[in-house]
Amino acid sequence: MKDFFKTVLAVICGILILQLVGFIFLMGFIGSAASSGSKVVLPRSGVLDINLSDYTLAEQSQEMPSSGSLLSGSFAMGRSVGIWDAVQAIEAAAADPAIRYIFLRPDGGEMAGMAALEELRTALQNFRQSGKAVVAYTEMPGNGSYYLATAADKIYMSSYHGATYTLLGLTSQQFFLKDILDKLGVNVQLIRHGKYKSAGEMFVRSGSSADNREQYQSMINSAWKAYSGAISAAREIPEDQFNALVDNLALNFPEDFLKNGLVDELMDREALIQKLCTLAQVSTREELHLVALPDYVTARVNAFPGRTNVAILFADGEIVDGKGPGLAADSFVLEVDALRKDPSVKAVVLRVNSPGGSVMASEKIRSALDLLGSEKPLVASYGDYAASGGYWISSGCSRIFADATTLTGSIGVFSMIPDFSKVAGKLGVGVESVSSNKHSDVLSLMRPFSADELAYMQASVEDIYERFVSLVSTSRGMETTAVDAIAQGRVWAGNDALGIGLVDEIGTLKDAVAYAASQAGLMSPEDYRVVTSPAVPGMLDNLLSLISTAGQEPTVLSGTPMESMERSLKGLLKDNRPTGVFARMPYCMEIR
């Protein structure tokens, strides 16, 4: 028995020692990674390398571990580069004598948002005005990556066969769950205002309504028009000719791209290296110093606050109640108040990348922003989305900048409450409510609404819709009837939103910062520094978050087009908040 206890004690001690050693190793890794990330030594002469297959283009820069690497034990670090940091780095490179030119590898750009690609492309075009070149190399051009490549002076393409090209035009899929919910016995009760407010349609229809189909087709057409127009102008070919190539599947082999003037030369890897060396005026690849964009951001982008600042306030993500990261109302309001009270902050740019969310949370954020705007210049810059609640919180800004491909508007409201009584019956579960009043169990999710209860919920939705329209009417200087005519929950692309008065200008985040600064009397970039808020989670925070979720297994639908349907169904069946009224887009559209 004594030997048994000795053995058990030895095993326990061994486990504790291993855990301690692992923790020390982990902390050492984090420390070394953090310290190495802040010390970047740039060569005396080099080439700025923008390789979108190595990192993600996002709203804010962030360093985080790769989940696959973490599970395998290698602890590799990934990184997202914020669009502001990327643009600032490109601008700095234009004035930096150590940077000879930009080497752009756009493959992987499809993972970035359309608006982010639009802003990066504009920055690359501005870089060329310095007299330095942008050289692009693509192996598998797609819609977004090729659009970005056309900002370059020259586009080189891999001569290897076997790649799959996805330069086929834009598409977005919608999934409809009514039939499967009927089989499960789930009755979804949708209350909404706006014939285009398609949020919830996927739960109550087997296919798209005519109005919803109309708005989606209009958005796709507008976004593709922005892409195809820019591509055609850059490559100096008629737009209808370019669309004919796409429609007729005429871009199947590298030679097709060359023959039709979409690339300048085909080459293998060795020829590419020689070309890059020649452009950099060096003899060997060892002398060719490629400076990765994230490293250049670390070394050159000035993020230190000064006495006079213009702040970029990132409103990124779904608008939710309570506290937390992203657009959790109670926490975000504190960020807004801090900027309002900070005497060094002279103007604020609200950078919106949100499909909306909770009405109550939107109200709280809008109220805090209105107070900020009454004391300091406050302008808005729209990213991929600024719709529904995202438009609610920002329409009061003194000027609104959007990208051509931004999805905005969606001025509408909905509430959605499922009834699981049939599910319970199929499972043989009896449900009996004991209530103090006639309608006490209306939100129990275990019975359908009566006519009176449905009218009660509809009245709440109508009141909030009128509030939304009134806010936009006052903020944008439009008659309520005019707002209602372009509202009804309809989502608009940025170019179209400009024509109907929802935004003031098609412009980048940089344009919005310059305008906000000018409203504060800061006419030159030398007069101020740009600071960002809120702070992004640190590398340790991201690592610990990843560790906490590392044990979650992917499902059979993970990584497939059906994954979004799975998330929607889980949200309805598991995480539904029956008392919520939402100003939100149908879901985050992925246009590919």
Side-chain angles (χ1 to χ4, degrees), residues 50-70:
I50 301 179
N51 185 356
L52 294 187
S53 64
D54 281 352
Y55 37 81
T56 304
L57 193 63
E59 284 293 287
Q60 288 180 273
S61 296
Q62 191 170 167
E63 195 165 10
M64 60 193 307
S66 163
S67 57
S69 300
L70 178 62

Side-chain angles (χ1 to χ4, degrees), residues 258-288:
L258 181 64
K259 177 180 65 176
N260 290 290
L262 297 187
V263 301
D264 296 289
E265 192 174 341
L266 303 180
M267 57 182 63
D268 60 19
R269 180 175 177 81
E270 188 60 32
L272 172 67
I273 292 172
Q274 291 303 316
K275 175 70 72 173
L276 295 177
C277 288
T278 300
L279 293 172
Q281 299 179 353
V282 298
S283 302
T284 66
R285 70 177 66 189
E286 288 74 24
E287 298 174 285
L288 180 66

Side-chain angles (χ1 to χ4, degrees), residues 283-305:
S283 302
T284 66
R285 70 177 66 189
E286 288 74 24
E287 298 174 285
L288 180 66
H289 299 293
L290 297 180
V291 181
L293 177 63
D295 290 340
Y296 197 76
V297 165
T298 299
R300 287 286 187 264
V301 176
N302 191 345
F304 297 102

Side-chain angles (χ1 to χ4, degrees), residues 266-447:
L266 303 180
M267 57 182 63
D268 60 19
R269 180 175 177 81
E270 188 60 32
L272 172 67
I273 292 172
Q274 291 303 316
K275 175 70 72 173
L276 295 177
C277 288
T278 300
L279 293 172
Q281 299 179 353
V282 298
S283 302
T284 66
R285 70 177 66 189
E286 288 74 24
E287 298 174 285
L288 180 66
H289 299 293
L290 297 180
V291 181
L293 177 63
D295 290 340
Y296 197 76
V297 165
T298 299
R300 287 286 187 264
V301 176
N302 191 345
F304 297 102
R307 294 181 179 178
T308 304
N309 300 315
V310 173
I312 301 174
L313 177 60
F314 287 94
D316 187 19
E318 185 166 357
I319 300 173
V320 298
D321 298 295
K323 297 180 180 180
L327 272 174
D330 293 345
S331 298
F332 194 78
V333 165
L334 295 178
E335 299 287 346
V336 176
D337 289 345
L339 293 177
R340 177 174 59 85
K341 296 173 183 178
D342 187 343
S344 72
V345 174
K346 307 302 181 185
V348 177
V349 174
L350 178 68
R351 173 66 174 188
V352 183
N353 192 53
S354 172
S358 162
V359 168
M360 177 66 74
S362 299
E363 282 274 68
K364 289 181 180 179
I365 292 172
R366 171 67 185 251
S367 178
L369 287 169
D370 284 348
L371 185 57
L372 169 62
S374 69
E375 298 183 15
K376 299 178 181 182
L378 174 64
V379 305
S381 168
Y382 289 170
D384 293 328
Y385 305 96
S388 210
Y391 193 75
W392 186 307
I393 67 174
S394 59
S395 59
C397 294
S398 62
R399 192 166 185 81
I400 299 175
F401 294 78
D403 290 305
T405 54
T406 294
L407 300 183
T408 188
S410 192
I411 301 168
V413 187
F414 78 97
S415 182
M416 189 171 62
I417 296 91
D419 162 29
F420 296 112
S421 57
K422 290 184 179 179
V423 177
K426 286 185 176 184
L427 295 175
V429 177
V431 179
E432 182 177 308
S433 297
V434 178
S435 306
S436 64
N437 293 82
K438 184 177 179 180
H439 304 289
S440 296
D441 64 341
V442 65
L443 298 177
S444 67
L445 311 185
M446 284 301 169
R447 68 170 178 82

Side-chain angles (χ1 to χ4, degrees), residues 193-213:
H193 185 112
K195 62 181 181 179
Y196 296 103
K197 196 64 181 178
S198 57
E201 259 196 10
M202 68 184 301
F203 299 108
V204 298
R205 293 183 62 92
S206 301
S208 182
S209 66
D211 293 323
N212 188 23
R213 178 78 186 187

Side-chain angles (χ1 to χ4, degrees), residues 434-501:
V434 178
S435 306
S436 64
N437 293 82
K438 184 177 179 180
H439 304 289
S440 296
D441 64 341
V442 65
L443 298 177
S444 67
L445 311 185
M446 284 301 169
R447 68 170 178 82
F449 288 154
S450 68
D452 289 344
E453 291 163 347
L454 188 62
Y456 172 82
M457 295 296 295
Q458 187 69 49
S460 176
V461 166
E462 295 295 332
D463 175 71
I464 295 171
Y465 178 78
E466 290 176 8
R467 163 74 173 158
F468 199 168
V469 168
S470 177
L471 279 173
V472 175
S473 172
T474 302
S475 300
R476 303 298 299 167
M478 302 168 65
E479 295 292 332
T480 55
T481 53
V483 175
D484 183 59
I486 60 175
Q488 299 293 323
R490 180 160 183 171
V491 184
W492 302 87
N495 271 334
D496 299 326
L498 176 65
I500 59 176

